Amino acid sequence: MSQTAQITAPAGRLDGKTICVSAAGQGIGRAITERLIRDGANVHASDIDAGFLEGLDTKTATQVDATDPEAVETWLGGVSRIDGMVHAVGFVHQGTIEDCTLEDWRKTQSISFDSAFYVLKSAIPRMKQNGGSVILIASVASSIRGYPKRAAYGASKGGVIGLMKACAADYLADGIRVNAICPGVVETPSLQVRIAEMVTELGSEAAARQWFLDRQPSGRFAKPEEIAGTCAWLASPDASFVTGQTINVDGGITI
């Protein structure tokens, strides 16, 4: 697969929908935000770094630390109606369990797992009256598949998937759909950090990049826009009968 497929969708399929997106400033979160806006949604964006939110044409752009439950509640409490919630926060600890200190473990779980709990606990009660779509960005490196040097991260994203499935069951009768997108390796600023972390071990940036590329049967990394297209579909009425699912957008990893 040498070329990226062009993703198209009916214009305006999210017209009138109000969707909140966390970690909206960079990478997958930013691509999702831009795609939702293009499809007609009113987006309330947040990120831990306010500078990353610059240039986004959102209804609001708020600096929020998603590991702080009070900050999450203040952010979502300021949105009068929520039709969709996309939680894209995550942190990748690189290393085996022997490499993972207690501080590393707690940081990873706080950012990648606990934050999902805070966001769902705040957003879901506000969605019960009208229903809607919750989308959590998890990972193929989770309960779906084990990867080298992903002990803490895999545990955190596996937890996200378990939380997703439980909430999907609990709130089905309220018209709230809850799903998770599990990307493969995506070309993002986060990936560049992980590549840099591998240079010392592998000897060069090219070798480190190839180490990640070898995980992709497709022979390339995903573009953030490819994850965003799936997210926009899950947020739309086109996915009205889809809940409790892990959608693998992984370029063939899980074939």
Side-chain angles (χ1 to χ4, degrees):
M1 187 184 299
S2 59
Q3 295 183 349
T4 303
Q6 295 299 310
I7 302 172
T8 59
R13 68 175 173 178
L14 295 176
D15 281 354
K17 300 292 186 184
T18 297
I19 302 177
C20 299
V21 183
S22 64
Q26 288 195 110
I28 292 172
R30 190 177 187 95
I32 287 171
T33 300
E34 292 173 343
R35 178 58 185 266
L36 296 177
I37 292 169
R38 182 153 57 90
D39 284 1
N42 299 311
V43 176
H44 294 266
S46 76
D47 200 284
I48 193 170
D49 189 326
F52 291 158
L53 296 168
E54 293 180 2
L56 286 171
D57 187 22
T58 55
K59 297 295 288 186
T60 62
T62 308
Q63 183 175 12
V64 178
D65 179 354
T67 67
D68 179 347
E70 292 184 1
V72 171
E73 175 65 19
T74 298
W75 171 46
L76 295 177
V79 181
S80 59
R81 169 175 172 149
I82 301 176
D83 300 301
M85 179 73 236
V86 181
H87 184 58
V89 171
F91 169 75
V92 181
H93 173 265
Q94 187 140 293
T96 68
I97 200 164
E98 292 178 285
D99 302 322
C100 185
T101 66
L102 183 57
E103 181 181 3
D104 292 332
W105 176 265
R106 288 176 172 167
K107 177 180 179 179
T108 303
Q109 306 314 312
S110 176
I111 296 173
S112 294
F113 184 33
D114 293 351
S115 66
F117 168 73
Y118 303 145
V119 165
L120 266 65
K121 190 169 178 63
S122 184
I124 282 178
R126 296 181 165 92
M127 298 174 69
K128 289 175 73 173
Q129 182 175 354
N130 300 299
S133 174
V134 175
I135 302 158
L136 305 176
I137 305 302
S139 175
V140 173
S142 60
S143 54
I144 294 173
R145 179 167 178 173
Y147 274 103
K149 302 183 184 296
R150 289 293 178 270
Y153 180 70
S156 68
K157 290 302 188 180
V160 167
I161 291 171
L163 180 63
M164 174 275 291
K165 286 189 171 291
C167 289
D170 285 337
Y171 298 102
L172 180 61
D174 295 298
I176 299 174
R177 298 182 294 107
V178 189
N179 294 284
I181 295 175
C182 297
V185 186
V186 185
E187 188 75 73
T188 63
S190 174
L191 176 61
Q192 296 309 310
V193 170
R194 284 176 274 149
I195 287 173
E197 290 173 342
M198 293 291 291
V199 168
T200 300
E201 178 179 341
L202 297 177
S204 70
E205 182 175 339
R209 188 174 181 85
Q210 189 62 46
W211 188 83
F212 285 95
L213 194 59
D214 287 344
R215 300 181 175 196
Q216 286 295 151
S218 56
R220 67 172 178 87
F221 300 136
K223 296 181 181 299
E225 293 77 13
E226 292 175 290
I227 312 304
T230 302
C231 187
W233 170 70
L234 282 172
S236 79
D238 293 341
S240 59
F241 210 57
V242 179
T243 193
Q245 301 303 305
T246 53
I247 311 297
N248 299 329
V249 188
D250 63 10
I253 289 174
T254 50
I255 289 175

